[in-house]
Amino acid sequence: MVRSSNRETGSGRRNRPADELSDLDKRIVEHLQEDGRRAFTQIAAALGVSEAAVRARTNRLIERGILQVVGVADPGKLGFQQALIGVRCEPGHILEVAAALAELREVDYVVVTAGRFDILIETVAEDNEDLLRFLNDRLQRIDGVRDTETFTYLRLVKQTYQFGTR
């Protein structure tokens, strides 16, 4: 699986890495989104460039935090309980709560959002008891967390990272 991500500048404005990427970088990302295990030699042949160029550009994309190449497993099929949790924060504490959540090993996704919740997180627990311990003993004890709402996953219907580079 390959994820592309947007970075943020210190001023809080979004800095879209896509603006910084060459057409070749974008095409490499698209190939890896289709198959994160695709050999650099195959990508190079398809794009008409050297394998060294594909390797160097891929490494640069990874170093810049634009690209991750990882294996993605379905937690439900591995027997885990997965949940999306909406978090409402005390006024003025959103970013510090988000940073604290990002440090928790149980949390694999943190996003600051607008709308009903200030933050959305995703967690994977061994079972419902493990999820309950996380909610009660870890999440609710973070300074600045006002309240939460938990949505447990019953079935993962679609998960894709092939959104291209547009």
Side-chain angles (χ1 to χ4, degrees):
M1 184 246 351
V2 176
R3 289 185 180 180
S4 296
S5 61
N6 286 334
R7 294 179 308 184
E8 224 175 83
T9 63
S11 66
R13 289 181 303 140
R14 289 178 74 166
N15 179 14
R16 297 203 54 204
D19 296 339
E20 302 170 13
L21 298 180
S22 71
D23 287 339
L24 180 57
D25 290 333
K26 290 177 183 180
R27 292 172 66 201
I28 291 169
V29 168
E30 289 168 351
H31 275 269
L32 290 170
Q33 283 179 327
E34 289 175 13
D35 180 358
R37 298 182 306 157
R38 185 169 291 157
F40 291 151
T41 52
Q42 288 179 312
I43 297 170
L47 299 179
V49 297
S50 72
E51 184 258 347
V54 172
R55 181 180 307 282
R57 285 173 179 266
T58 301
N59 288 337
R60 199 171 16 236
L61 292 167
I62 291 168
E63 289 168 6
R64 291 171 58 196
I66 295 170
L67 180 69
Q68 291 180 28
V69 181
V70 297
V72 177
D74 181 336
K77 290 181 179 174
L78 293 174
F80 294 109
Q81 176 61 55
Q82 193 171 10
L84 180 70
I85 303 169
V87 180
R88 289 186 196 90
C89 301
E90 298 296 335
H93 292 272
I94 294 172
L95 295 179
E96 64 190 51
V97 170
L101 291 167
E103 294 296 319
L104 299 177
R105 70 168 180 76
E106 299 93 340
V107 175
D108 60 43
Y109 176 82
V110 179
V111 62
V112 175
T113 186
R116 184 172 171 188
F117 300 103
D118 300 311
I119 300 169
L120 293 174
I121 65 172
E122 186 178 73
T123 185
V124 175
E126 289 184 30
D127 53 29
N128 284 334
E129 285 300 314
D130 190 38
L131 178 59
L132 179 59
R133 275 191 300 277
F134 169 73
L135 294 170
N136 189 57
D137 299 343
R138 308 267 289 168
L139 180 58
Q140 292 294 331
R141 295 179 189 226
I142 295 175
D143 287 335
V145 170
R146 186 173 64 202
D147 61 75
T148 65
E149 187 171 347
T150 303
F151 305 89
T152 57
Y153 293 14
L154 300 177
R155 179 182 298 152
L156 181 61
V157 177
K158 180 179 182 179
Q159 181 177 27
T160 183
Y161 299 98
Q162 296 182 356
F163 48 84
T165 57
R166 296 186 176 95

